[in-house]
Amino acid sequence: MPVPVPRQRAIPAVESGQAPAAPTVGGPSEAEAPLHRDPARKEETVRNDATAEDDSARTATSTATPATAPTAPTAVHPAPRPAPHGTSHTTALTLLLIEDDPAAGPIVPDLRDSDGKPMRVRTARNLTEAGRLLTDDVHCILLDLTLPAPGRTAGDDELAVLRHVLELAPRHAVLALTASGDAERGAEAVRVGAQDYLFRDELDSRLLSRAIRYAVERKRSDTAERRLAEGRLRAQENARLERGLLPTPLLEGSPLRFAARYRPGRSRALLGGDFYDTVRTPDGTVHAMIGDVCGHGPDEAALGVELRIAWRALTLAGLCGDELLNTLQQVLEHERDDDEIFATLCTVDIAPDGRRAGLCLAGHPAPLIARPDRPARLLPYENNGPALGLLPGARWPRMQVELGARWSLMLYTDGLIEGRIGDGRERLGQDGMVEMIRRQIAEGLSGEELLRAAVNEVRELNGGELTDDVALVLLDRVP
């Protein structure tokens, strides 16, 4: 059944917000008295916006006289509903009035947004009904502060209803409606979280339209400012975590040259758990380590920091090889939040003369060694042990490897080898990485330039940012 078109009025109960049609003969219909709705016809006020506009246009065309009938649109193209915190408005603003007695509401015959478009208005008699009408296309809420809040008596908290609405609609602008002379309550409402307060008997359409537009823009500005502050805080926290993951090496007195590079995998904007460290013990041995906690996020990064600090402390205390890794596994088992969390690790201890090294692998890719007399290759990985945290009582054999008089040793995380090659599903892999490093060394790259070129080429092969973090450590011995 078509709904009669209402006359120009204070706050319409339907959502269309269209211009009024010519009055009907014989007195106003139910729709012409929107603030005295029949509860049995409540569903008529919760229609889809596009449907309401279409019904209103068709009814106006069929009932108005030729002198007053508006021109019907040739086609209906419903615009997308903007979110309350969106950018530009493609449709008129939508107001939700929460008022237990709509008949006593302010007289606002013509609410318009900054573009001159009529605002849509929805009315709710209580918070339960408001919850059903509160959708993403609502931009502003006009709230009567005298409404009772669920589960509270009148003397509990004068702003209990406002606090409830702010919890119900944290992303929406809220205007508090109070009685004249009650400026103290209105000011307190703003301190609690409302964008502004208005006096009930001092409203007109111009004032309320401006207040709604101001509240929506202020809420948008507050939201943007809060997100910016949260982003800065996250960046600071990430920076502190990254400093813990990537410390300054302790190599004083060592002839070895050190270089490192770390590139977070920002496609998911999450900090990962890659970590590394290098220290020289009093006997002249240089110990290097690189590891990766599975997963992404601050919890994994924090666990990586704990493992790195524990590794440095245990190394400086004289532990190495299987004994050190067994202790690190105990640390991981006690500090992780989930039994499925594990970490891969590669440790290298280079003898004081720089010609030999001990290697331990805990589920981690083998390091790459490059020497002038032979092409770059991977160190042996046949005795690779399991990742830390997978098998209780596991062992990690220490392999002795010959380095030679002049060499470059590169430790890396799997982010370097798991990037894709082009648009296909093929990944770079260790073989592809070895070929890439051989070519770059042949081009004369070394040190930080070599690491930077390796990361950049892997990213280009992947066609964009890598999904995983990449950490690399390079130690060079040049007699």
Side-chain angles (χ1 to χ4, degrees), residues 121-336:
V121 180
R122 300 177 183 176
T123 58
R125 290 185 173 88
N126 51 58
L127 296 181
T128 301
E129 187 174 342
R132 294 195 298 267
L133 297 173
L134 186 62
T135 53
D136 283 343
D137 57 332
V138 172
H139 298 84
C140 185
I141 299 172
L142 182 60
L143 173 67
D144 181 4
L145 293 181
T146 63
L147 279 175
R152 295 177 181 265
T153 60
D156 287 344
D157 184 357
E158 290 185 345
L159 297 178
V161 64
L162 174 61
R163 300 181 197 276
H164 185 87
V165 168
L166 292 175
E167 293 177 1
L168 183 67
R171 299 185 304 162
H172 293 73
V174 177
L175 287 173
L177 192 61
T178 187
S180 297
D182 199 3
E184 183 176 350
R185 179 188 286 191
E188 181 63 22
V190 174
R191 286 191 291 270
V192 168
Q195 272 59 60
D196 204 349
Y197 69 92
L198 302 169
F199 294 134
R200 180 191 305 277
D201 53 358
E202 295 181 6
L203 284 182
D204 57 29
S205 61
R206 183 179 179 182
L207 174 62
L208 183 54
S209 296
R210 185 170 65 247
I212 292 171
R213 296 195 301 268
Y214 167 77
V216 170
E217 293 302 324
R218 181 176 178 181
K219 182 65 176 181
R220 182 180 297 128
S221 176
D222 291 345
T223 300
E225 184 176 354
R226 185 183 69 252
R227 289 177 177 173
L228 180 61
E230 291 173 351
R232 289 173 177 169
L233 181 60
R234 283 194 299 270
Q236 294 172 358
E237 293 174 346
N238 286 352
R240 286 194 292 269
L241 282 173
E242 288 181 0
R243 285 195 298 269
L245 292 168
L246 319 173
T248 302
L250 298 179
L251 290 176
E252 184 177 357
S254 173
L256 301 183
R257 294 186 304 185
F258 172 88
R261 189 162 184 84
Y262 176 76
R263 186 181 184 91
R266 293 306 188 198
S267 62
R268 284 179 285 185
L270 292 175
L271 186 66
D274 289 11
F275 55 97
Y276 62 79
D277 202 353
T278 306
V279 299
R280 180 177 183 266
T281 50
D283 64 354
T285 302
V286 173
H287 303 261
M289 172 270 293
I290 195 165
D292 184 4
V293 177
C294 69
H296 299 265
D299 292 338
E300 289 75 9
L303 182 56
V305 172
E306 293 177 354
L307 292 176
R308 186 205 62 78
I309 294 174
W311 178 87
R312 174 175 282 199
L314 294 171
T315 299
L316 293 175
L319 275 67
C320 68
D322 184 76
E323 185 180 10
L324 185 148
L325 291 176
N326 182 64
T327 307
L328 286 179
Q329 173 158 280
Q330 295 180 40
V331 173
L332 184 147
E333 290 173 347
H334 284 86
E335 297 297 330
R336 63 186 177 184

Side-chain angles (χ1 to χ4, degrees), residues 56-78:
S56 181
R58 288 199 302 268
T59 306
T61 303
S62 61
T63 59
T65 63
T68 61
T71 302
T74 58
V76 178
H77 299 286

